[in-house]
Amino acid sequence: MKYFFRHCERNEAIHLAVGENGLSRRRRLLAMTMGLMLLAACAPQEQAFRPASETPSLQKESFTTADGATLPVRSWRVKRPKAVVIGVHGMNDYSNAFSETGEYFKRRGIATYAYDQRGFGGTDDVGIWAGEANLKRDLRDFTALIARRHPNTPLFVMGESMGGAVAMLAEAEAPLPVSGIILSAPAVWNDENIPAIYQLLLWSAAHTLPSYKLTGKDLNILASNNIPMLRRMGADPLVIKATRIDTIYGLTQLMNDAYATPSHIESRVLLLYGLKDQIVPRPPVEAIKSCFGTPADTIFYDDGYHMLTRDLQGPSVLSDIAKWILKPRPRR
């Protein structure tokens, strides 16, 4: 936190310079300009959104995006799949989050594809917030590629936590070529659920200490009751352990935008939530569940934590998802 105090001292010096001693208008303007420059120098960092420069393409273990970025891909393939699922991972995670899901679905005749979202896993600029526009475009392009690969097979997008928010935003922008969307503890949370003082503190931190990293290890939050799985994640070098403040700020904006999307989503939705979730609070999830354009199928798990599909009761959750996926339904 020494950097925080350095910035406080710098801002206090500006305040005293502008102060209460009747400085000239020119000096006041200069001081204000200096203050704005300090904020600009510490502005939140975000990966640039670049115009499309090439046709997106899918390789065996990677996905080339419209602007030429390379995102790692993992897949659990089936020779003649009954259905196909695209996995969109959560914050600080990566495509390996769907390893248990992919293996389970494979035994049920369902193929699974997942990619590392920008800023996570094996991508470039790990830890730097990708920006909503990049995240949406990547999902839309990846979904189009998988739809072309499996033209006569029901296709679903499955988003976990932050990945659920990305899926909601992409679908609300324009319908994806899918038969349905699965939202597992989607990261939705609007300003009404966050006290104004916390919003101000986060904005201030993101604009003064954007690169400062937080671990959350002192919060005593349990993401799952599957402790061996959590320990494996802790030992995995591709799972981010310390998050930049400006990335947290970007996530809160994403969550707020996703909260407003349900009425614009016409696709069939399966909404899953664990009542012991200590990361995404229940009220915003309750608020959105009846707001989708097509009424969502909802399952709340009494003993479920945030990582529902990887909890100790994960196989039961995956069974519910597989049954929902394999229900006969028309593809759009």
Side-chain angles (χ1 to χ4, degrees):
M1 295 299 288
K2 60 183 180 182
Y3 301 103
F4 174 79
F5 290 113
R6 284 179 185 173
H7 280 264
C8 285
E9 290 166 1
R10 195 180 293 176
N11 290 334
E12 183 179 4
I14 292 172
H15 171 72
L16 292 174
V18 176
E20 298 142 15
N21 297 321
L23 297 180
S24 70
R25 182 178 179 182
R26 181 177 298 177
R27 292 179 65 188
R28 289 176 184 273
L29 181 60
L30 176 61
M32 291 173 63
T33 302
M34 289 174 60
L36 290 173
M37 288 174 65
L38 285 174
L39 285 178
C42 297
Q45 190 172 350
E46 182 175 301
Q47 295 185 37
F49 180 79
R50 299 181 176 86
S53 58
E54 57 185 272
T55 302
S57 59
L58 182 63
Q59 295 77 45
K60 184 177 181 181
E61 296 182 349
S62 65
F63 160 45
T64 302
T65 68
D67 62 347
T70 299
L71 309 182
V73 170
R74 286 172 172 77
S75 59
W76 296 262
R77 304 188 189 193
V78 177
K79 190 172 182 179
R80 286 184 290 275
K82 301 175 184 176
V84 177
V85 170
I86 293 171
V88 192
H89 66 78
M91 182 73 168
N92 291 343
D93 214 336
Y94 66 112
S95 55
N96 192 56
F98 291 92
S99 57
E100 292 91 347
T101 297
E103 292 296 339
Y104 182 93
F105 284 171
K106 188 175 181 178
R107 295 193 295 271
R108 299 292 297 270
I110 302 168
T112 305
Y113 296 83
Y115 64 95
D116 294 3
Q117 297 193 79
R118 296 183 194 228
F120 302 100
T123 67
D124 294 333
D125 298 321
V126 169
I128 305 299
W129 181 241
E132 186 176 308
N134 277 320
L135 295 172
K136 289 191 299 184
R137 182 172 68 179
D138 290 344
L139 176 56
R140 299 190 64 80
D141 290 344
F142 189 79
T143 302
L145 289 169
I146 298 299
R148 287 199 291 270
R149 176 172 287 189
H150 299 278
N152 300 309
T153 307
L155 176 61
F156 300 83
V157 167
M158 178 176 174
E160 293 188 348
S161 193
M162 184 194 82
V166 173
M168 293 171 70
L169 287 161
E171 170 69 15
E173 184 176 69
L176 297 167
V178 298
S179 296
I181 296 174
I182 301 146
L183 303 173
S184 180
V188 290
W189 203 354
N190 75 334
D191 290 341
E192 295 176 1
N193 301 115
I194 306 175
I197 184 63
Y198 293 161
Q199 295 180 49
L200 178 60
L201 287 172
L202 179 57
W203 185 94
S204 299
H207 287 79
T208 54
L209 300 167
S211 63
Y212 189 82
K213 295 181 179 180
L214 302 174
T215 64
K217 65 181 180 180
D218 297 324
L219 297 178
N220 296 318
I221 289 176
L222 191 63
S224 174
N225 59 357
N226 188 343
I227 305 305
M229 178 273 297
L230 293 177
R231 288 175 176 159
R232 289 194 297 273
M233 289 185 68
D236 188 337
L238 293 183
V239 174
I240 296 175
K241 315 301 190 304
T243 310
R244 290 172 56 107
I245 287 179
D246 54 4
T247 295
I248 297 172
Y249 178 68
L251 175 65
T252 61
Q253 293 179 304
L254 183 86
M255 295 168 69
N256 189 65
D257 290 344
Y259 182 87
T261 64
S263 62
H264 303 286
I265 295 176
E266 298 295 335
S267 179
R268 293 175 62 90
V269 171
L270 175 61
L271 176 63
L272 309 171
Y273 182 75
L275 296 181
K276 293 185 177 180
D277 193 323
Q278 299 176 22
I279 295 177
V280 173
R282 182 174 179 176
V285 178
E286 289 278 7
I288 69 167
K289 71 178 185 180
S290 60
C291 296
F292 291 93
T294 299
D297 296 314
T298 304
I299 306 177
F300 280 20
Y301 296 91
D302 290 339
D303 296 321
Y305 288 77
H306 187 64
M307 296 181 173
L308 283 170
T309 60
R310 288 176 279 180
D311 285 350
L312 293 179
Q313 69 275 20
S316 176
V317 176
L318 290 171
S319 176
D320 290 337
I321 297 172
K323 291 174 183 176
W324 187 83
I325 286 173
L326 296 176
K327 284 182 180 178
R329 57 174 64 87
R331 182 173 179 175
R332 291 190 307 198

